[in-house]
Amino acid sequence: KAGVTQTPRYLIKTRGQQVTLSCSPISGHRSVSWYQQTPGQGLQFLFEYFSETQRNKGNFPGRFSGRQFSNSRSEMNVSTLELGDSALYLCASSLRTGESFGANVLTFGAGSRLTVL
Amino acid sequence: GQQVMQIPQYQHVQEGEDFTTYCNSSTTLSNIQWYKQRPGGHPVFLIQLVKSGEVKKQKRLTFQFGEAKKNSSLHITATQTTDVGTYFCAGRDNTDKLIFGTGTRLQVFP
C-alpha cells in the first residue's frame, strides 16, 4: 500500500511569509504526527492529530498550527516565517487504535524541506 | 518535560567493528522504539521494546530495554557500510507524546 505522502517536497520562502504543508497518511491510519528536524535540535515534536482532534502539542509558538481532515489527511501551517524555521518537516502516521496509544509505531513520509531566506 | 539523551552523538568505526548507542530518559518509559535514518532519508522504524529487561535481536542488531525502563541500548555486531545512518530511540512521555532521543550518527569506513 502507498506510504505517507508529503507535499511539497521542497520550498523556499522569505521571512514574514506563511507556508502550508500537506500530509496524506497511510490508508487506514487515523493518527498524524508532525516533527521538525534541524541539524542542531534533532527531531522536535510539533503536534499530533487523531480523528480531526489535536491530541498533543509540542513546545512551539502559536505561529505553528495544524489540522486534520475527515479523511485523516493533515496540514500544518507556519505563519510569519523566521529564518530559524528552516528545517525538514516530517509527517508520520500510525494506527493509534483505541485509547491505548503507546504501542503504535510511526511511519514517516519523506518530509518537506523548507528554506526561509 | 521529558528528555531523552543518546550517547555518543557521533561514532566512526571501521567496517567489521562493533557499535553501541545508549539511550537515557529522565522519566520511566512505557515502551521504547528505535528508528534509523539514512543520510538524506527519513526515520524508519526498527523495533519496539515493552517489557523491563527485554532483549530483542534482528540479525546483527541487539536491542535492550533497561530494568528500570529508563534506558535502552542498540548494539550492532560487525558493522557494514549499509549500517551508516543516524539511530534514534523514542519513548512516550507522561502526556503520551512520542519524544525522540538526540540521535547517534554512525559512520562506517570500509
Side-chain angles (χ1 to χ4, degrees):
Chain A
K1 53 184 176 181
V4 178
T5 304
Q6 289 189 246
T7 56
R9 289 291 314 279
Y10 304 91
L11 65 167
I12 299 174
K13 294 285 187 179
T14 56
R15 281 179 297 174
Q17 288 186 311
Q18 73 166 10
V19 66
T20 299
L21 309 178
S22 178
C23 173
S24 293
I26 290 174
S27 177
H29 282 194
R30 298 168 64 190
S31 170
V32 173
S33 301
W34 289 88
Y35 288 84
Q36 182 196 64
Q37 185 171 36
T38 58
Q41 297 296 320
L43 279 160
Q44 300 292 311
F45 175 80
L46 280 158
F47 19 66
E48 178 183 14
Y49 288 88
F50 179 81
S51 293
E52 302 178 67
T53 301
Q54 187 180 88
R55 299 305 292 255
N56 255 313
K57 190 178 191 307
N59 296 324
F60 279 82
R63 301 185 295 107
F64 292 80
S65 63
R67 58 178 175 169
Q68 186 180 34
F69 303 95
S70 58
N71 61 358
S72 294
R73 190 177 70 84
S74 177
E75 288 181 349
M76 68 162 282
N77 184 78
V78 187
S79 62
T80 319
L81 284 166
E82 301 176 358
L83 295 179
D85 297 333
S86 294
L88 179 67
Y89 290 87
L90 290 161
C91 162
S93 74
S94 62
L95 281 169
R96 287 294 230 178
T97 52
E99 287 300 315
S100 177
F101 294 147
N104 288 158
V105 164
L106 302 186
T107 301
F108 282 87
S112 293
R113 185 166 295 281
L114 169 65
T115 301
V116 182
L117 302 176
Chain B
Q2 179 198 27
Q3 294 185 12
V4 182
M5 303 299 294
Q6 282 183 252
I7 55 171
Q9 190 175 2
Y10 302 98
Q11 183 82 60
H12 298 170
V13 300
Q14 201 76 33
E15 191 173 21
E17 292 182 336
D18 291 357
F19 159 77
T20 304
T21 173
Y22 299 91
C23 173
N24 294 287
S25 170
S26 57
T27 59
T28 301
L29 304 169
S30 57
N31 60 68
I32 195 152
Q33 299 174 1
W34 284 89
Y35 292 78
K36 176 185 178 181
Q37 185 173 21
R38 294 182 185 274
H42 54 276
V44 174
F45 173 76
L46 292 177
I47 207 160
Q48 179 172 270
L49 305 170
V50 179
K51 300 176 184 176
S52 169
E54 188 172 12
V55 178
K56 286 188 175 181
K57 292 190 175 185
Q58 287 182 348
K59 297 182 181 178
R60 295 178 294 103
L61 277 61
T62 302
F63 303 83
Q64 191 164 12
F65 200 8
E67 293 291 340
K69 301 184 80 172
K70 293 180 73 173
N71 55 71
S72 181
S73 65
L74 157 59
H75 179 82
I76 301 178
T77 303
T79 55
Q80 300 175 358
T81 54
T82 54
D83 295 325
V84 165
T86 301
Y87 292 85
F88 292 97
C89 62
R92 293 203 179 271
D93 68 5
N94 56 6
T95 65
D96 211 37
K97 292 193 290 288
L98 187 64
I99 305 299
F100 278 77
T102 47
T104 296
R105 190 195 302 180
L106 172 64
Q107 182 62 262
V108 180
F109 295 107

